[in-house]
Amino acid sequence: MSDFAARLTDGVRRHGPLCVGIDPHPGMVPALFGGDTAKGLEYWGRALVEAAAGKVAVIKPQVGFFERLGPGGMTALAAITRAAREAGLLVLMDAKRGDIGSTAEGYAEAYLSPGAFFEADALTVNPYMGLDTLEPFAKRAETGGKGLVVLVRTSNPGAADFQMLETGGKPLYMHLAEALRPLTDRLMSPCDWSNLMMVVGATAPEEARRIRAAAPKALFLVPGYGAQGAGADAACAGLVGGEGGVVSASRSVIFPKAADGARTRNDWQAAIEVAIMSARSELKAAALA
């Protein structure tokens, strides 16, 4: 079985770099599917999987929106994850875990262990407690062909509070990108990209180029495109020849205005598919420009 980097690279070559974020914001799941309930999230999420399958390579569920509904919400997350993987989609679980070794091992087992209830293809992790906290996830990536997605330069305005602080003549995020080189090399795939992925926000294209120069083989996960304000050109600044990562879009493709008044599931799905194909086309063109 091929590893995460190889599967993602193949999918991006076929479909382009769009990654569909599944973010069930409170009050935004259509009543058509049951609204803001555990079952509503499950039915809606599975319908999104159906709309995305064959059009994109990757989906990215945001775990926090499921956790808020307790056990039912987490059961919905597991069902959506299984449906996505069965449909041939890669699942990049956005949970931003990060803790000391023994606790990190628990998180790694929950999300990256074969057959786990929440098994995904890759998991976002926070490295700011130190590189040793990444080791349990790195081991799963090595032995199970999984992906390790490390926060480096995020897209939120508050990223400047710490990530941009200068020390030793360069910002903290660059120190991190450079410190990740050994792990990037260790997790290299035969496809010539690493199973280590870096989160690099679309709202900072010049910084993305700087990180790309320091990390030529790391995949990028690029949030911030669409509803957060970044355009396709900025979002694709760190990609290389149309590959090297994915660009995440959530609200712009899962809550398009055209879907607001949908009375039937078919009408809703048609609006979602149009939004996905529009973003896909825009990103493919920008990535190859």
Side-chain angles (χ1 to χ4, degrees), residues 13 27 75 84 88 92 101 103 107 113 124 127 144 157-158 174 185 188 212 227 233 258 267-268 279 286 289:
R13 287 172 179 168
T75 299
L92 199 166
T103 309
Y107 288 135
S113 178
T124 56
M174 282 303 300
D185 292 341
M188 279 298 296
R212 173 55 73 201
D233 290 340
D267 289 345
W268 173 88

Side-chain angles (χ1 to χ4, degrees), residues 47-81:
L48 284 173
V49 164
E50 185 177 332
K55 301 176 185 67
V56 301
V58 191
I59 65 160
K60 183 176 71 66
Q62 171 47 254
V63 174
F65 289 123
F66 294 89
E67 287 181 346
R68 67 190 173 84
L69 292 181
M74 295 305 283
T75 299
L77 173 65
I80 294 163
T81 299

Side-chain angles (χ1 to χ4, degrees), residues 62-121:
Q62 171 47 254
V63 174
F65 289 123
F66 294 89
E67 287 181 346
R68 67 190 173 84
L69 292 181
M74 295 305 283
T75 299
L77 173 65
I80 294 163
T81 299
R82 286 194 298 270
R85 300 184 81 223
E86 289 169 1
L89 291 161
L90 289 168
V91 176
L92 199 166
M93 197 72 81
D94 196 355
K96 298 181 179 68
R97 300 309 191 203
D99 213 322
I100 60 172
S102 57
T103 309
E105 178 60 40
Y107 288 135
E109 184 174 352
Y111 291 103
L112 298 180
S113 178
F117 193 66
F118 302 111
E119 183 184 358
D121 297 283

Side-chain angles (χ1 to χ4, degrees), residues 215-240:
K217 296 300 182 181
L219 293 169
F220 280 11
L221 167 62
V222 185
Y225 164 72
Q228 290 189 50
D233 290 340
C236 294
L239 302 188
V240 181

